[in-house]
Amino acid sequence: QRAREMGIKIGVLTPGKQNAITDVKGVKVGHTTLHEGDRIHTGVTAILPHEDNIFQNKVPAGIYIGNGFGKLTGISQVKELGNLETPIILTNTMSVPTAADALIDYTLSQKGNERVKSVNFLVGETNDGYLNDISARVITKQHVLDAIKNAKSGPVEEGNVGAGSGTVCFGWKGGIGTSSRVLPEKSGGYTVGVLVQSNYGGVLEINGVPVGKNLGKHFLHDQLNDPADGSCMMIVATDAPLSSRNLERLAKRAMLGLAKTGGIASNGSGDYVIAFSTAEEVRIKPGSKYYTSTELHNDDTSPLFLATIEATEEALLNSLFMAQTLKGVSGTVEALPIDEVRKMISKK
Amino acid sequence: QRAREMGIKIGVLTPGKQNAITDVKGVKVGHTTLHEGDRIHTGVTAILPHEDNIFQNKVPAGIYIGNGFGKLTGISQVKELGNLETPIILTNTMSVPTAADALIDYTLSQKGNERVKSVNFLVGETNDGYLNDISARVITKQHVLDAIKNAKSGPVEEGNVGAGSGTVCFGWKGGIGTSSRVLPEKSGGYTVGVLVQSNYGGVLEINGVPVGKNLGKHFLHDQLNDPADGSCMMIVATDAPLSSRNLERLAKRAMLGLAKTGGIASNGSGDYVIAFSTAEEVRIKPGSKYYTSTELHNDDTSPLFLATIEATEEALLNSLFMAQTLKGVSGTVEALPIDEVRKMISKK
Amino acid sequence: QRAREMGIKIGVLTPGKQNAITDVKGVKVGHTTLHEGDRIHTGVTAILPHEDNIFQNKVPAGIYIGNGFGKLTGISQVKELGNLETPIILTNTMSVPTAADALIDYTLSQKGNERVKSVNFLVGETNDGYLNDISARVITKQHVLDAIKNAKSGPVEEGNVGAGSGTVCFGWKGGIGTSSRVLPEKSGGYTVGVLVQSNYGGVLEINGVPVGKNLGKHFLHDQLNDPADGSCMMIVATDAPLSSRNLERLAKRAMLGLAKTGGIASNGSGDYVIAFSTAEEVRIKPGSKYYTSTELHNDDTSPLFLATIEATEEALLNSLFMAQTLKGVSGTVEALPIDEVRKMISKK
Amino acid sequence: QRAREMGIKIGVLTPGKQNAITDVKGVKVGHTTLHEGDRIHTGVTAILPHEDNIFQNKVPAGIYIGNGFGKLTGISQVKELGNLETPIILTNTMSVPTAADALIDYTLSQKGNERVKSVNFLVGETNDGYLNDISARVITKQHVLDAIKNAKSGPVEEGNVGAGSGTVCFGWKGGIGTSSRVLPEKSGGYTVGVLVQSNYGGVLEINGVPVGKNLGKHFLHDQLNDPADGSCMMIVATDAPLSSRNLERLAKRAMLGLAKTGGIASNGSGDYVIAFSTAEEVRIKPGSKYYTSTELHNDDTSPLFLATIEATEEALLNSLFMAQTLKGVSGTVEALPIDEVRKMISKK
């Protein structure tokens, strides 16, 4: 069950139809999921900003680094040029090079890109090495290409799928989660969608309820002494027309959503946010002499900030609620104990 | 009443004796408070990292910018050199130049600084222009020097004092707040203290209870349509021996504490964090040939991150709980309705 | 004599009519110059991006910090919002607060700004404390307002004027310098103008001739052991339609121009660049619902980068060539020995 | 012939024995060079900071991005943690993923790293796609491992070798270059060594002589209209004990050296600098409870800044002077015309 189906309503804004990143028109998500015995639990998740050739129709983008322990590739070019030119790929830490290589293959193989000699592969990761035999590096380029190929709009699979197959969050099974918010018409009516790969720690809170504290399972708790490490990749999509500068600001707000779940961005956590706009008014079109755009004024960004915070918090909760208990290479990680959580929440 | 006296226990760590930034040994805080009729409600708050000549005994420091709408001076030199060399002054937006000027006076007047020709004045602000006739710019250099002179260890006045005299937070009266955390011995036993000047908005949450939503007073609520702007200055002190790089990381975590109160770092908010270490092992001493320091490894910083998040959240709540209803130049701003809040919290 | 009048042609591009920052249409420069006996040699330089109310008609802007030892105020808001809203003021280190205060006065006094309660004062500085009794802090708000009022288009006074009255550069008298470049029509025909306040050190080179080395006057030379410190403020204006992101990139290139004069951005140097665009196509207009702009593609920025490098190098040389020997509070600083330099250059 | 053998003496400081990055004790460099017919001209260059297990004995490091068009991996973790944990690998743009993958292999294969599950692979690149059939992606992991294995101290091969096999610089054949500077004893006697992979453009200057202008071969020249793009990777090593913060400042100065060769950091250029310190006093040792270091004060860094600028400029010139004319997949790129250059220089 997703958080909202359990009666958990995060924030004051309304989700979109799917309550998913795909509520932002044109955005597609695809997973490749690998569960093989107890040893292999990993995968790939691909996020596509639109259906066209992305390299030829770049979208404005911003990146924010909550904590830079991590191997996200492609950061500096996105920041310098203010756009992204490939699908975004999420996978495990050790498979980033393979995924990057696959993005080169993908880009070169697309019609119109025959002469491309430089590709800014954007690949994020978290470390699923507790449940998955990460050193085996089983992800292949084909797995990555499959995730891109399978990408679709509509509902998004969550939990132990794709890049979230083997991740752990607050000591419970984490994974892929997604959520969205639609702004009121008077604030523009724009949609913000978030997709996360959750693999981090801290002191879990669910809609303000101190679940981690209540269950005695949190960072610095004597029994556990969980190092709180791990990482979180967050992808923010919007149809609001924003420049790369304001998209970087949007990205920054996703960390505020993570904070509300009790995340602390620990030393060993790779917490990264990639935000992009799908709006036609800011699309970078090939062949144009100038870049003409119509974007929101700075003054009109705050509602989008709130939407990002809410959708991130809910996406992170969905990643927990939709994940399943999993036996992996170093042990078993339980799913969030739904019944206990339900009781704590109902008391609120 | 402070939050904790109302039974609100933020987080899993324990506060220090005063539950204040002054729990970090050597740190002193001083206020100059101006309340004159309905028109003037403003002031100055000074934070001193230690008792010695600060210019001659610089402390490692880091700055993090949550949202850069704001006029904090001295940012670039702290980032470049990794230290601070004056007391930190907080005041209102329009009085930053006056306070900066006063910091030059202060520094030049200290013994041993007679030949100083360059002072990196560190002055933060939030805009108290709703309750205070900010355009009158009533703060004088003497007010600033008085705040420094009055600085003391021990309990810290909170609420409508100093730089928080006229601030507004989530539509309620804000002000100065402070809190601290002491790490368990096995995590080093260090203290983290936070002091805030709260003047921001969003959707108020108190220890996870959606107070703003329940009261129908929040950003994007139809009746109010509060622009959520304003700002928040946060000062983080610790006796843990940290380099400027790790202090900047500590500073970054204060924003996660702000997030937990429902802050959204809106477009017009100046959200800045200054973190410094008072540890002798990292003090920059005059006359030494090399800079020899003993500091924590990166791996040992996460408990301090958690402490910063908790102390910031509680300091922000204290700023609300300790503030009083105030009639000012553009109207009256109520204090947080304690009884209603108490009911909401007790249901939790 | 300016560098070009001495036969020194920097680079491959052509200067504008005035070979000054004022070649960018609409840009105005004003100086207040204070020379009083041997003790006072300081002043103020104001740069205005256009003739309208700047606060109401903000221009896109970017800031780059070559080395952050220095007290430039207003940095974070320019970076966050991507624009500037006041004239740019340059003065001495100790007078930054006074100039900031004056910018508040100026802004509030302008028609249409009656209700403004927040002003992002942009004030840069270098330290003229060798020739000027900087601790006397003789600059008044009126001096700053006068510089703004006196600002005009056309030729710009250089050398020992305005904020350059008492500065020192490579051990010689520095000061204000300016230069410009006009791109070929096929590259857009845009103009880039630069104005500098030079007060830094290193190993002086003039159009590639190692003048500092030849004269035995340079950083790390035994006889002198010049600490190389000081600072350099650089203002870059262009009529090319650029976003704040690309203006920050433009700003970054000014440091490459400084490098070509032999500057090293020493530890104690405050090397800052502020770049803005005057183009109507990117002006932030009041009252518009959206921000519609037509700007250059990233791919078309390189010619502007070259123009910035060349104009900065030449502006810095002009600041030296136009400065005069000056006796000040701590001694006399000679002007560049023109005849010797002429000989070295002619041999090239 | 290297630049210095042609009588070109860059700057005022003295090179080390090899005038190479290997003058910094412990630093090793290895190349894998691929020249196959006209089609394949590429390779790998590995730089090792010391002989021990780098993952277990991390060195402080800083990264500066001159222009972020480029695919350097590992940036954010170096910046966050202030150290590097693998050899630095340079190769062509399209082979970054392969090299990253090889760095994982290398790290896992080292004694003591058996349980490592997270490796921050540091791989830089420039685009050799004019001379090399870059889309063929001929670099294998073994090529990378060979470069690491072959790494040695002493003289460093320059020109058309390793990652510089197929690069182009200012329209001439570029490649690998290196140089070093030793500070005077009174400034600490430290060594700074630089190694570059040159593949960029602008308006070539050689020790101040406008060679590009004289030869009519430069950016914005009508006949050529060279897009000036390409990139430059610069590695700075020093035995001076510096923190990561000061190493980042050192890295920043390498761009000033690039500027002196006429580089402009054009839009499409990936100009990155990685700086590290080999000093035992700042080495991050495994098993220590605290990080105790003895480092230079900020005030003592300026001589190192000058050394970095000089060594970078000379390393870039060496990359040109040591390169050979090469026929590649899209045509022939000439080596710098030594005789003509010699004449221009001798006139100086």
Side-chain angles (χ1 to χ4, degrees):
Chain A
Q1 271 189 318
R2 305 183 78 189
R4 200 159 281 261
E5 292 165 342
M6 291 198 48
I8 297 170
K9 289 188 181 165
I10 298 297
V12 298
L13 297 171
T14 308
K17 191 179 170 191
Q18 304 290 350
N19 193 11
I21 194 171
T22 47
D23 287 324
V24 179
K25 202 183 154 192
V27 174
K28 294 183 168 187
V29 175
H31 297 302
T32 298
T33 303
L34 296 175
H35 291 297
E36 299 171 10
D38 293 349
R39 212 176 55 86
I40 299 300
H41 300 289
T42 194
V44 178
T45 297
I47 300 99
L48 281 68
H50 59 64
E51 293 195 274
D52 292 331
N53 182 322
I54 301 166
F55 192 89
Q56 301 293 341
N57 297 270
K58 297 175 176 35
V59 296
I63 291 182
Y64 175 67
I65 303 177
N67 191 60
F69 193 117
K71 284 79 187 172
L72 173 62
T73 65
I75 297 171
S76 56
Q77 188 163 323
V78 171
K79 282 181 172 271
E80 187 77 39
L81 303 184
N83 58 55
L84 59 81
E85 62 186 32
T86 67
I88 300 166
I89 300 296
L90 306 178
T91 187
N92 74 55
T93 311
M94 295 291 221
S95 296
V96 168
T98 301
D101 223 14
L103 276 178
I104 298 179
D105 286 4
Y106 170 76
T107 301
L108 297 189
S109 73
Q110 285 198 292
K111 205 179 157 186
N113 296 354
E114 293 78 8
R115 301 166 84 179
V116 168
K117 292 185 178 179
S118 177
V119 177
N120 190 43
F121 32 81
L122 199 50
V123 183
E125 52 78 32
T126 74
N127 198 311
D128 54 19
Y130 183 80
L131 290 173
N132 178 48
D133 181 3
I134 193 170
S135 307
R137 289 141 87 191
V138 297
I139 300 289
T140 64
K141 295 204 282 185
Q142 192 57 48
H143 290 137
V144 179
L145 296 172
D146 287 349
I148 297 173
K149 198 176 168 188
N150 296 337
K152 56 182 196 296
S153 52
V156 173
E157 266 193 290
E158 297 174 297
N160 302 5
V161 297
S165 296
T167 62
V168 179
C169 195
F170 294 104
W172 308 105
K173 183 71 188 70
I176 297 294
T178 188
S179 181
S180 70
R181 289 295 181 276
V182 181
L183 292 188
E185 275 308 315
K186 67 167 186 176
S187 296
Y190 303 111
T191 299
V192 174
V194 174
L195 181 141
V196 302
Q197 174 193 22
S198 73
N199 193 44
Y200 63 103
V203 185
L204 177 61
E205 293 183 33
I206 295 182
N207 203 16
V209 178
V211 172
K213 197 172 163 181
N214 292 349
L215 296 174
K217 188 163 180 171
H218 57 78
F219 177 53
L220 291 186
H221 188 269
D222 279 344
Q223 260 47 55
L224 189 73
N225 203 14
D226 171 352
D229 286 347
S231 299
C232 191
M233 287 295 312
M234 293 161 268
I235 313 301
V236 181
T238 185
D239 57 3
L242 294 177
S243 66
S244 57
R245 182 175 48 73
N246 276 326
L247 284 163
E248 189 172 323
R249 300 174 81 198
L250 210 65
K252 210 167 176 175
R253 270 65 189 179
M255 279 304 287
L256 305 189
L258 180 140
K260 299 182 86 168
T261 67
I264 66 167
S266 67
N267 173 68
S269 199
D271 301 326
Y272 296 85
V273 193
I274 304 168
F276 60 85
S277 169
T278 64
E280 286 289 336
E281 306 96 292
V282 295
R283 187 75 49 88
I284 299 134
K285 302 271 174 61
S288 58
K289 186 165 181 194
Y290 298 102
Y291 174 55
T292 296
S293 64
T294 294
E295 58 175 276
L296 295 188
H297 282 294
N298 290 328
D299 284 347
D300 293 328
T301 54
S302 296
L304 295 162
F305 293 174
L306 180 58
T308 302
I309 295 170
E310 291 192 3
T312 304
E313 184 181 356
E314 188 161 332
L316 290 166
L317 296 182
N318 282 336
S319 78
L320 281 160
F321 280 109
M322 296 301 285
Q324 308 285 335
T325 297
L326 191 67
K327 189 176 176 194
V329 68
S330 312
T332 295
V333 175
E334 303 287 335
L336 204 62
I338 299 291
D339 290 341
E340 287 180 85
V341 168
R342 197 189 304 271
K343 278 180 217 157
M344 291 183 212
I345 288 168
S346 66
K347 275 198 288 190
K348 186 171 173 172
Chain B
Q1 272 187 319
R2 306 183 78 188
R4 199 159 283 259
E5 294 164 341
M6 292 201 43
I8 298 169
K9 289 189 182 166
I10 299 297
V12 297
L13 297 170
T14 308
K17 191 179 169 192
Q18 304 290 350
N19 193 10
I21 194 171
T22 47
D23 287 324
V24 179
K25 203 183 153 191
V27 174
K28 296 183 166 188
V29 175
H31 298 302
T32 298
T33 303
L34 296 175
H35 291 295
E36 300 171 10
D38 293 350
R39 211 176 55 86
I40 299 301
H41 300 291
T42 193
V44 178
T45 296
I47 299 97
L48 281 68
H50 59 64
E51 292 194 274
D52 293 332
N53 182 323
I54 302 166
F55 192 88
Q56 301 293 340
N57 298 270
K58 298 175 175 33
V59 296
I63 291 181
Y64 175 67
I65 303 176
N67 191 59
F69 192 120
K71 285 79 188 171
L72 174 61
T73 65
I75 297 170
S76 55
Q77 187 165 321
V78 172
K79 283 180 172 273
E80 187 77 39
L81 303 184
N83 58 55
L84 58 82
E85 63 186 31
T86 68
I88 300 166
I89 300 296
L90 307 178
T91 187
N92 75 56
T93 311
M94 294 292 220
S95 296
V96 168
T98 300
D101 223 12
L103 276 178
I104 298 179
D105 286 4
Y106 170 75
T107 300
L108 296 188
S109 72
Q110 286 198 292
K111 206 180 155 185
N113 297 354
E114 293 77 10
R115 302 165 84 178
V116 167
K117 292 184 176 178
S118 178
V119 177
N120 190 42
F121 32 80
L122 198 51
V123 182
E125 51 78 33
T126 73
N127 198 311
D128 55 19
Y130 183 79
L131 290 172
N132 178 48
D133 181 3
I134 193 170
S135 308
R137 290 142 87 190
V138 296
I139 300 290
T140 64
K141 294 204 283 185
Q142 192 58 48
H143 290 138
V144 179
L145 296 172
D146 287 349
I148 297 173
K149 196 176 167 187
N150 296 338
K152 55 181 197 298
S153 52
V156 174
E157 267 193 289
E158 297 174 298
N160 302 5
V161 296
S165 295
T167 62
V168 180
C169 194
F170 293 105
W172 308 104
K173 183 68 190 70
I176 296 294
T178 189
S179 182
S180 70
R181 289 296 181 274
V182 181
L183 292 187
E185 277 308 316
K186 66 166 187 176
S187 297
Y190 303 112
T191 299
V192 174
V194 175
L195 181 142
V196 302
Q197 176 193 21
S198 72
N199 193 43
Y200 63 104
V203 185
L204 176 61
E205 294 184 33
I206 295 182
N207 202 17
V209 177
V211 172
K213 196 172 166 182
N214 292 349
L215 296 174
K217 188 161 179 173
H218 58 76
F219 178 53
L220 291 185
H221 187 269
D222 279 344
Q223 259 47 55
L224 190 73
N225 203 15
D226 172 352
D229 286 347
S231 299
C232 192
M233 287 296 312
M234 292 161 269
I235 313 301
V236 181
T238 187
D239 57 4
L242 294 177
S243 67
S244 57
R245 181 175 48 73
N246 276 327
L247 285 163
E248 189 170 325
R249 300 173 80 199
L250 210 65
K252 212 167 176 175
R253 271 63 188 179
M255 281 303 287
L256 305 189
L258 181 141
K260 298 182 87 169
T261 67
I264 67 168
S266 68
N267 173 66
S269 201
D271 300 326
Y272 295 84
V273 192
I274 304 168
F276 60 85
S277 168
T278 63
E280 286 289 337
E281 306 96 294
V282 295
R283 187 75 49 86
I284 298 134
K285 302 271 173 63
S288 58
K289 187 165 181 194
Y290 297 102
Y291 175 55
T292 296
S293 64
T294 294
E295 56 174 278
L296 295 188
H297 282 295
N298 291 327
D299 283 348
D300 293 327
T301 55
S302 297
L304 295 162
F305 292 174
L306 179 59
T308 303
I309 295 170
E310 292 191 4
T312 304
E313 183 180 358
E314 188 161 331
L316 291 165
L317 296 183
N318 282 337
S319 79
L320 281 160
F321 280 109
M322 295 300 285
Q324 308 285 336
T325 297
L326 190 68
K327 187 174 175 195
V329 67
S330 311
T332 295
V333 174
E334 302 288 336
L336 205 61
I338 300 291
D339 290 340
E340 287 180 86
V341 168
R342 196 188 305 268
K343 278 181 218 155
M344 291 183 211
I345 288 167
S346 66
K347 275 197 288 189
K348 187 170 173 174
Chain C
Q1 269 188 321
R2 306 183 78 189
R4 200 158 282 261
E5 293 165 342
M6 291 199 47
I8 297 168
K9 289 188 182 166
I10 299 297
V12 298
L13 298 170
T14 307
K17 191 180 168 192
Q18 304 290 350
N19 193 12
I21 194 172
T22 47
D23 287 324
V24 179
K25 202 182 154 192
V27 174
K28 293 182 169 188
V29 175
H31 298 301
T32 297
T33 303
L34 295 175
H35 291 294
E36 298 172 12
D38 293 349
R39 210 176 56 86
I40 300 301
H41 300 289
T42 193
V44 179
T45 296
I47 300 97
L48 281 68
H50 59 65
E51 291 194 275
D52 293 331
N53 183 323
I54 302 165
F55 192 89
Q56 301 293 341
N57 298 269
K58 297 174 177 32
V59 296
I63 291 183
Y64 175 69
I65 303 178
N67 190 59
F69 192 120
K71 284 79 187 174
L72 174 62
T73 66
I75 296 171
S76 55
Q77 187 163 322
V78 171
K79 282 182 172 271
E80 187 76 41
L81 303 184
N83 59 55
L84 59 83
E85 62 188 31
T86 67
I88 300 166
I89 299 297
L90 307 179
T91 187
N92 74 56
T93 310
M94 295 289 221
S95 296
V96 168
T98 301
D101 224 13
L103 276 179
I104 299 179
D105 286 4
Y106 170 76
T107 301
L108 297 188
S109 72
Q110 285 198 293
K111 207 179 156 184
N113 297 354
E114 293 77 10
R115 302 167 83 180
V116 168
K117 292 185 177 177
S118 177
V119 177
N120 190 43
F121 32 81
L122 199 49
V123 182
E125 52 77 33
T126 73
N127 198 310
D128 56 19
Y130 183 79
L131 290 172
N132 178 48
D133 181 3
I134 193 170
S135 308
R137 289 142 86 190
V138 297
I139 300 289
T140 65
K141 294 205 283 185
Q142 193 57 49
H143 289 138
V144 179
L145 297 172
D146 287 348
I148 297 173
K149 195 175 169 190
N150 296 338
K152 55 182 199 294
S153 53
V156 174
E157 266 193 289
E158 297 173 298
N160 302 5
V161 297
S165 295
T167 62
V168 180
C169 195
F170 293 104
W172 308 105
K173 184 68 190 69
I176 297 293
T178 189
S179 180
S180 70
R181 290 295 182 273
V182 181
L183 291 187
E185 276 308 315
K186 66 167 187 176
S187 297
Y190 301 112
T191 299
V192 173
V194 175
L195 181 141
V196 301
Q197 175 192 21
S198 71
N199 193 42
Y200 64 102
V203 185
L204 176 61
E205 294 184 31
I206 295 182
N207 203 16
V209 177
V211 172
K213 195 172 167 182
N214 291 350
L215 295 174
K217 189 164 180 173
H218 58 77
F219 178 52
L220 291 186
H221 187 268
D222 279 343
Q223 259 49 52
L224 189 71
N225 202 15
D226 171 354
D229 286 346
S231 300
C232 192
M233 288 295 312
M234 293 162 269
I235 314 301
V236 181
T238 185
D239 58 3
L242 294 177
S243 67
S244 57
R245 182 175 48 73
N246 276 326
L247 285 163
E248 190 171 323
R249 300 173 81 199
L250 210 64
K252 212 167 179 176
R253 270 63 188 179
M255 280 304 286
L256 305 189
L258 181 141
K260 300 182 85 167
T261 67
I264 67 168
S266 67
N267 173 67
S269 200
D271 301 325
Y272 295 85
V273 193
I274 304 167
F276 60 84
S277 169
T278 63
E280 286 290 336
E281 305 97 292
V282 294
R283 187 76 49 88
I284 299 135
K285 301 272 174 61
S288 57
K289 187 165 181 193
Y290 299 103
Y291 174 55
T292 297
S293 64
T294 294
E295 56 175 276
L296 295 188
H297 283 293
N298 290 328
D299 284 346
D300 293 328
T301 54
S302 297
L304 294 162
F305 291 175
L306 179 59
T308 302
I309 295 169
E310 292 191 3
T312 304
E313 183 181 357
E314 188 161 332
L316 290 166
L317 296 182
N318 282 336
S319 79
L320 280 160
F321 280 110
M322 295 300 286
Q324 308 285 335
T325 297
L326 190 68
K327 188 176 175 192
V329 68
S330 311
T332 295
V333 175
E334 302 288 334
L336 204 62
I338 300 291
D339 289 341
E340 287 180 84
V341 169
R342 196 188 305 270
K343 277 181 217 157
M344 292 182 210
I345 289 166
S346 66
K347 274 198 287 190
K348 185 170 173 172
Chain D
Q1 269 190 322
R2 306 182 77 189
R4 200 159 282 260
E5 294 166 340
M6 291 199 47
I8 297 170
K9 290 188 184 167
I10 298 298
V12 298
L13 297 170
T14 308
K17 191 178 169 192
Q18 303 291 349
N19 193 11
I21 194 171
T22 46
D23 287 324
V24 179
K25 202 182 154 192
V27 174
K28 295 182 169 190
V29 175
H31 297 301
T32 298
T33 303
L34 296 175
H35 291 295
E36 300 170 10
D38 294 349
R39 211 177 55 85
I40 300 301
H41 301 289
T42 193
V44 179
T45 296
I47 299 97
L48 281 68
H50 59 65
E51 291 194 274
D52 293 331
N53 182 323
I54 302 167
F55 192 88
Q56 301 293 341
N57 298 270
K58 298 175 178 25
V59 296
I63 292 182
Y64 176 69
I65 304 177
N67 191 60
F69 193 116
K71 283 80 186 172
L72 174 61
T73 65
I75 297 171
S76 56
Q77 187 163 322
V78 171
K79 282 180 173 272
E80 187 76 40
L81 302 184
N83 59 54
L84 58 81
E85 62 186 33
T86 67
I88 301 166
I89 299 296
L90 307 178
T91 187
N92 75 56
T93 310
M94 295 291 220
S95 296
V96 168
T98 301
D101 224 13
L103 276 179
I104 298 179
D105 287 3
Y106 170 77
T107 300
L108 296 188
S109 72
Q110 285 198 293
K111 205 180 157 183
N113 296 353
E114 292 78 9
R115 302 165 83 180
V116 167
K117 291 184 178 179
S118 177
V119 178
N120 190 43
F121 32 80
L122 199 50
V123 182
E125 51 78 31
T126 72
N127 198 310
D128 56 19
Y130 183 79
L131 290 172
N132 177 49
D133 181 3
I134 192 169
S135 307
R137 291 142 85 190
V138 297
I139 300 289
T140 64
K141 293 205 281 186
Q142 192 57 49
H143 290 137
V144 179
L145 295 172
D146 287 348
I148 296 173
K149 196 176 169 189
N150 297 337
K152 56 181 197 296
S153 53
V156 174
E157 267 193 288
E158 297 173 298
N160 301 6
V161 296
S165 296
T167 63
V168 180
C169 195
F170 293 104
W172 309 104
K173 184 69 189 69
I176 297 293
T178 189
S179 180
S180 70
R181 289 294 182 275
V182 181
L183 291 188
E185 275 309 315
K186 67 166 187 177
S187 296
Y190 302 112
T191 299
V192 174
V194 175
L195 180 142
V196 301
Q197 175 193 23
S198 73
N199 193 42
Y200 63 103
V203 185
L204 176 61
E205 294 184 33
I206 295 181
N207 202 15
V209 178
V211 172
K213 195 172 166 182
N214 291 350
L215 295 174
K217 187 164 181 171
H218 60 77
F219 178 53
L220 291 185
H221 188 269
D222 279 344
Q223 259 49 51
L224 190 71
N225 203 16
D226 170 354
D229 286 346
S231 299
C232 191
M233 286 297 310
M234 292 161 269
I235 313 301
V236 181
T238 186
D239 57 5
L242 294 177
S243 67
S244 57
R245 182 175 47 74
N246 276 327
L247 285 163
E248 189 170 324
R249 299 173 82 200
L250 209 65
K252 211 166 178 176
R253 270 63 188 180
M255 280 304 286
L256 305 189
L258 180 141
K260 299 182 87 167
T261 66
I264 66 167
S266 67
N267 173 68
S269 199
D271 301 326
Y272 296 84
V273 192
I274 303 168
F276 61 84
S277 168
T278 63
E280 286 290 337
E281 305 96 293
V282 295
R283 187 75 50 86
I284 298 133
K285 301 269 173 62
S288 57
K289 186 163 181 196
Y290 297 103
Y291 174 54
T292 296
S293 64
T294 294
E295 56 175 277
L296 294 188
H297 282 296
N298 291 327
D299 283 348
D300 293 327
T301 54
S302 297
L304 294 162
F305 292 175
L306 179 59
T308 302
I309 296 170
E310 291 192 3
T312 305
E313 184 180 357
E314 188 161 332
L316 291 166
L317 295 183
N318 281 338
S319 79
L320 281 160
F321 279 110
M322 295 300 286
Q324 307 286 335
T325 297
L326 190 68
K327 189 176 176 192
V329 67
S330 310
T332 295
V333 175
E334 302 288 335
L336 204 62
I338 299 291
D339 289 342
E340 286 179 85
V341 168
R342 196 188 303 269
K343 277 181 216 156
M344 290 183 213
I345 288 167
S346 66
K347 274 198 288 189
K348 186 171 174 173

